[in-house]
Amino acid sequence: YMKIVNSKSLVQNNTFKIDVNTKFFVDITSESDLLNLLQETRFKNIKKLILGGGSNILLTKNINGLTIHNQIKGINIKKETDKYIFVSVGAGEVWDDLVVWTTKKKLYGIENLSLIPGYVGAAPIQNIGAYGVEFIDVFEELRGVDLSTNKIKILTKNDCEFGYRDSIFKHRLKNKFIITEITIKLSKIKKLKTSYTSLSKELKKLKKDNITSQTIREIIIDIRNEKLPNPHFIGNAGSFFKNPIITKQTLTKIKKLYPDVPVFEKGKEIKISAAWLIEKTNWKGYRSGECGVYNKHALILINYGKAVGKDIINLSRKIKATVKKKFNINLEEEVTIL
Ligand code: FAD
Ligand code: EPU
């Protein structure tokens, strides 16, 4: 039976380690639990927070409503062909446990997304990405509850409107759809994505035939541990901002002063490194009271222990203003501010 907890601190439920309270908190372990919960009169017209691992949110105030912590588990093979395997996964599985499951089975598709914190159900929300792979690359379909009707709905790739760190769940379906299960398509045949510079550099040291999804996983774990703070020890939510997309003209201007500015060009789109912009405006390693900018990666804002959401917001505003002033570029938050 679902236990509804009154007035609970969320400090252990967000990797920024911000201490706010939620009026009600519930762990849901099945879709039917969820549907029953939504039928309860007292929860009908109340604000709801759908919570996974809390690794991409910044809590700025108490949640005056119901926090639904998704704990729906299960990894199941749905269909198999000569080349592919379709796997359905409960939204409450830990993302990296799923990656481990796939590499152990010598499957290919999500090994580049190793060690990303959080749960499976949040992967579609911002279309998680790292080291040349995005969630959309393996996505088949997802299942969940549409909160406008309280009915189960299946969404396909087109329905989800995925983009760079973006999807329909950040716009029209924001807080209006609870993902309960995703289905991904993995390859049984070796398919490596090795274009990302730091990854290909490491792979060159190895014999090509010996490289498996497990090898990629291990290298990525090393790279990530080198530069990203472990939320277990330092409160953070990964990249605080997105890498901004800029015009050719803006890039030409910046290149006059900084010929080596790191940019990623894909088709006509030019993405500039937000970490570089923040470093060049002298924020890297900055600390003010209980919050600051990580000294090994300028895109990561950190909580030294007792910061409140407002402290982080204030720091992020200052960073945005200086980047705007120096480069005329607007930084946009990647983290969901609540
Ligand atoms: P939460 O923070 O719990 O939720 C995030 C948002 O999704 C919220 O708006 C929430 O309401 C919504 N949501 C969650 N679950 C559901 C659901 N079942 N149905 C509907 N809505 C839901 N991200 C990357 O893309 N690439 C990286 O390389 C990366 N590296 C990171 C490194 C560190 C150290 C940290 C702390 C974070 C990093 N992130 C990265 C960000 C984060 O891990 C991902 O965005 C992750 O998918 C968030 O999962 P979560 O379960 O913690 O989501
Ligand atoms: N850089 C700096 N200063 C720094 C850090 C980086 O100038 O302090 C420059 C370097 O030139 C470096 C370049 O930025 O080569 C790129 O850095 P990195 O490889 O760390 O990637 P990123 O663009 O900063 C993005 C994602 C990460 C993801 C990595 C790897 C965004 C907003 N962030 O970071 O995702 O892990 O690529 O693919 O797109 C997250 O979303 O939370 C996240 C951590």
Side-chain angles (χ1 to χ4, degrees):
Y1 184 71
M2 280 176 288
K3 186 167 166 252
I4 292 161
V5 182
N6 290 317
S7 182
K8 177 183 156 41
S9 163
L10 291 175
V11 71
Q12 296 305 332
N13 291 91
N14 73 98
T15 60
F16 245 131
K17 292 288 183 304
I18 306 286
D19 194 358
V20 300
N21 276 337
T22 177
K23 197 166 178 191
F24 303 107
F25 182 95
V26 65
D27 282 317
I28 55 134
T29 53
S30 71
E31 216 173 66
S32 54
D33 264 6
L34 178 59
L35 289 169
N36 286 336
L37 179 81
L38 296 171
Q39 290 311 320
E40 279 193 44
T41 327
R42 62 174 170 156
F43 297 136
K44 275 225 163 108
N45 293 313
I46 194 174
K47 194 180 157 190
K48 291 172 193 81
L49 166 63
I50 308 145
L51 186 66
S55 65
N56 209 30
I57 54 172
L58 175 62
L59 296 160
T60 62
K61 48 182 182 290
N62 290 332
I63 305 293
N64 185 25
L66 170 67
T67 299
I68 302 175
H69 186 217
N70 198 317
Q71 293 282 59
I72 300 175
K73 305 279 185 190
I75 305 181
N76 295 298
I77 297 171
K78 245 189 157 176
K79 191 169 93 185
E80 212 172 324
T81 67
D82 290 351
K83 292 185 186 147
Y84 296 105
I85 187 161
F86 296 78
V87 187
S88 294
V89 193
E93 286 284 347
V94 169
W95 172 264
D96 200 49
D97 290 351
L98 172 64
V99 181
V100 169
W101 185 92
T102 69
T103 54
K104 275 194 179 147
K105 285 201 151 28
K106 298 193 170 53
L107 297 167
Y108 290 80
I110 56 172
E111 58 280 7
N112 292 46
L113 303 177
S114 288
L115 218 64
I116 296 179
Y119 296 178
V120 161
I125 309 294
Q126 71 157 359
N127 180 24
I128 56 170
Y131 303 95
V133 171
E134 282 185 320
F135 179 70
I136 188 180
D137 300 333
V138 295
F139 180 77
E140 269 298 299
E141 61 175 43
L142 61 78
R143 215 181 128 89
V145 180
D146 185 337
L147 289 176
S148 60
T149 57
N150 283 348
K151 294 238 159 65
I152 302 288
K153 217 171 166 179
I154 296 196
L155 302 184
T156 61
K157 202 179 276 191
N158 269 337
D159 299 330
C160 293
E161 297 171 12
F162 290 121
Y164 163 61
R165 296 294 190 277
D166 205 19
S167 76
I168 195 167
F169 308 106
K170 282 189 152 188
H171 303 282
R172 197 164 61 73
L173 290 183
K174 190 171 177 170
N175 299 324
K176 294 196 172 70
F177 194 91
I178 305 183
I179 297 169
T180 54
E181 184 187 86
I182 65 159
T183 302
I184 56 174
K185 178 184 176 180
L186 300 166
S187 176
K188 289 157 80 175
I189 297 163
K190 196 198 272 194
K191 263 190 197 165
L192 303 173
K193 293 231 178 126
T194 59
S195 58
Y196 209 88
T197 318
S198 48
L199 175 62
S200 66
K201 222 163 87 192
E202 287 307 308
L203 287 170
K204 283 204 182 92
K205 298 175 189 162
L206 306 173
K207 242 183 100 190
K208 210 175 163 204
D209 290 344
N210 297 339
I211 300 167
T212 64
S213 49
Q214 179 60 30
T215 323
I216 303 272
R217 173 173 172 79
E218 281 161 18
I219 294 172
I220 280 172
I221 288 176
D222 286 345
I223 297 174
R224 295 183 66 101
N225 282 337
E226 220 16 64
K227 63 179 172 197
L228 299 174
N230 181 340
H232 202 73
F233 306 110
I234 305 172
N236 79 95
S239 300
F240 195 85
F241 302 103
K242 296 183 198 174
N243 287 326
I245 292 164
I246 57 167
T247 61
K248 189 97 204 149
Q249 290 95 298
T250 308
L251 179 61
T252 312
K253 251 194 211 159
I254 295 177
K255 271 200 169 157
K256 278 188 188 140
L257 276 170
Y258 305 98
D260 297 327
V261 52
V263 287
F264 323 95
E265 299 190 46
K266 201 173 152 195
K268 276 199 178 138
E269 205 175 78
I270 309 166
K271 242 190 244 163
I272 186 166
S273 158
W276 182 87
L277 294 169
I278 298 169
E279 186 170 338
K280 281 290 173 279
T281 43
N282 292 320
W283 290 104
K284 196 168 177 174
Y286 171 89
R287 175 172 182 170
S288 162
E290 289 295 316
C291 66
V293 178
Y294 193 48
N295 60 2
K296 290 193 214 162
H297 203 298
L299 196 43
I300 298 173
L301 303 193
I302 56 179
N303 174 10
Y304 280 98
K306 294 192 185 68
V308 295
K310 286 263 154 44
D311 297 333
I312 311 269
I313 294 280
N314 287 338
L315 173 59
S316 78
R317 285 197 183 132
K318 286 185 202 154
I319 294 172
K320 280 168 88 159
T322 52
V323 168
K324 174 77 182 167
K325 195 160 173 224
K326 189 173 165 101
F327 294 102
N328 196 26
I329 294 174
N330 294 308
L331 289 178
E332 201 185 307
E333 286 77 9
E334 189 215 83
V335 168
T336 299
I337 316 282
L338 291 164

